[in-house]
Coordinates of all heavy atoms in Angstrom, one line a residue:
K143 N -13.1 5.1 12.8 CA -14.2 4.7 13.6 C -15.5 5.4 13.2 O -16.6 4.8 13.2 CB -13.9 5.0 15.1 CG -14.8 4.3 16.0 CD -14.2 4.2 17.4 CE -15.0 3.2 18.3 NZ -14.3 3.0 19.5
A147 N -18.8 3.5 11.8 CA -20.1 3.8 12.4 C -21.1 4.2 11.3 O -22.3 3.7 11.2 CB -20.0 4.9 13.4
R151 N -24.4 2.0 10.1 CA -25.7 2.6 10.2 C -26.4 2.6 8.8 O -27.5 2.1 8.7 CB -25.6 4.0 10.7 CG -26.8 4.9 10.5 CD -28.0 4.5 11.4 NE -27.7 4.6 12.8 CZ -27.6 5.8 13.5 NH1 -27.8 6.9 12.9 NH2 -27.4 5.7 14.8
P157 N -29.1 -1.0 14.1 CA -29.4 -0.1 15.1 C -28.2 0.3 16.0 O -27.2 -0.3 16.0 CB -30.5 -0.8 16.0 CG -30.2 -2.3 15.7 CD -29.6 -2.4 14.4
D158 N -28.4 1.4 16.7 CA -27.3 2.0 17.5 C -26.7 1.0 18.5 O -25.5 0.9 18.7 CB -27.8 3.2 18.3 CG -28.1 4.4 17.4 OD1 -27.6 4.4 16.2 OD2 -28.8 5.3 17.8
D159 N -27.6 0.2 19.2 CA -27.0 -0.7 20.2 C -26.2 -1.8 19.5 O -25.2 -2.2 20.1 CB -28.2 -1.3 21.0 CG -29.2 -2.0 20.2 OD1 -29.4 -1.7 19.1 OD2 -29.9 -2.9 20.8
E160 N -26.6 -2.3 18.3 CA -25.8 -3.3 17.7 C -24.5 -2.7 17.2 O -23.4 -3.4 17.3 CB -26.6 -3.9 16.5 CG -25.9 -5.0 15.7 CD -25.7 -6.2 16.5 OE1 -26.3 -6.4 17.5 OE2 -24.9 -7.1 16.0
I161 N -24.5 -1.5 16.6 CA -23.3 -0.9 16.2 C -22.4 -0.7 17.4 O -21.2 -0.9 17.3 CB -23.6 0.5 15.5 CG1 -24.4 0.3 14.2 CG2 -22.3 1.2 15.2 CD1 -25.0 1.5 13.6
G162 N -22.9 -0.2 18.5 CA -22.1 0.0 19.7 C -21.5 -1.3 20.1 O -20.3 -1.3 20.5
R163 N -22.2 -2.4 20.0 CA -21.6 -3.7 20.4 C -20.5 -4.1 19.4 O -19.5 -4.6 19.9 CB -22.7 -4.8 20.4 CG -22.3 -6.1 21.0 CD -23.4 -7.2 20.9 NE -23.8 -7.5 19.5 CZ -23.0 -8.3 18.7 NH1 -21.8 -8.7 19.1 NH2 -23.4 -8.6 17.5
L165 N -18.6 -2.0 17.7 CA -17.5 -1.1 17.8 C -16.9 -1.0 19.2 O -15.9 -0.4 19.5 CB -17.9 0.4 17.4 CG -18.3 0.5 15.9 CD1 -18.7 2.0 15.7 CD2 -17.1 0.2 15.0
G166 N -17.6 -1.7 20.2 CA -17.1 -1.7 21.6 C -17.4 -0.3 22.3 O -16.5 0.1 23.0
C167 N -18.5 0.3 22.0 CA -18.8 1.6 22.6 C -20.3 1.6 22.9 O -21.1 0.7 22.6 CB -18.4 2.7 21.8 SG -19.2 2.8 20.2
T168 N -20.8 2.7 23.6 CA -22.2 2.8 23.9 C -23.0 3.3 22.7 O -22.4 3.9 21.8 CB -22.3 3.8 25.1 OG1 -22.0 5.1 24.6 CG2 -21.5 3.4 26.3
P169 N -24.3 3.1 22.8 CA -25.1 3.7 21.7 C -25.0 5.2 21.6 O -25.1 5.8 20.5 CB -26.6 3.3 22.1 CG -26.4 2.0 22.9 CD -25.1 2.3 23.7
Q170 N -24.8 5.9 22.7 CA -24.6 7.3 22.7 C -23.4 7.7 21.9 O -23.4 8.7 21.1 CB -24.6 7.9 24.1 CG -25.8 7.8 24.9 CD -26.0 6.4 25.6 OE1 -25.1 5.5 25.5 NE2 -27.1 6.2 26.2
T171 N -22.3 7.0 22.1 CA -21.1 7.2 21.3 C -21.3 6.9 19.9 O -20.8 7.7 19.0 CB -19.9 6.3 21.9 OG1 -19.8 6.6 23.3 CG2 -18.6 6.6 21.2
V172 N -22.1 5.9 19.6 CA -22.4 5.6 18.2 C -23.1 6.8 17.5 O -22.7 7.3 16.4 CB -23.3 4.3 18.0 CG1 -23.9 4.2 16.6 CG2 -22.5 3.1 18.4
R173 N -24.1 7.3 18.2 CA -24.9 8.5 17.7 C -23.9 9.6 17.5 O -24.0 10.4 16.5 CB -26.0 8.8 18.6 CG -27.2 7.8 18.5 CD -28.4 8.3 19.2 NE -28.3 8.3 20.6 CZ -28.6 7.2 21.4 NH1 -28.9 6.0 20.8 NH2 -28.4 7.3 22.7
S174 N -23.0 9.8 18.4 CA -22.1 10.9 18.3 C -21.1 10.7 17.1 O -20.9 11.7 16.3 CB -21.3 11.0 19.6 OG -20.2 12.0 19.5
Q175 N -20.6 9.5 16.9 CA -19.7 9.2 15.8 C -20.4 9.4 14.5 O -19.9 10.0 13.5 CB -19.2 7.8 15.9 CG -18.3 7.5 17.0 CD -16.9 8.2 16.8 OE1 -16.4 8.2 15.7 NE2 -16.3 8.6 17.9
V176 N -21.7 8.9 14.4 CA -22.5 9.0 13.1 C -22.8 10.5 12.9 O -22.6 11.0 11.7 CB -23.8 8.2 13.2 CG1 -24.7 8.5 12.0 CG2 -23.4 6.7 13.2
S177 N -23.2 11.2 13.9 CA -23.5 12.7 13.8 C -22.2 13.4 13.3 O -22.3 14.3 12.4 CB -24.0 13.2 15.1 OG -24.2 14.6 15.0
R178 N -21.1 13.2 13.9 CA -19.9 13.9 13.5 C -19.5 13.5 12.1 O -19.0 14.3 11.3 CB -18.8 13.6 14.5 CG -19.0 14.3 15.8 CD -17.9 13.9 16.8 NE -18.1 14.5 18.1 CZ -17.6 14.1 19.2 NH1 -16.8 13.1 19.2 NH2 -18.0 14.7 20.4
G179 N -19.6 12.2 11.8 CA -19.3 11.7 10.5 C -20.1 12.4 9.4 O -19.6 12.9 8.4

Side-chain angles (χ1 to χ4, degrees):
K143 200 161 190 172
R151 165 71 62 75
D158 293 341
D159 57 334
E160 180 67 15
I161 296 169
R163 191 180 66 71
L165 294 178
C167 60
T168 66
Q170 294 83 2
T171 302
V172 168
R173 287 191 289 275
S174 173
Q175 291 289 324
V176 169
S177 177
R178 288 180 184 158

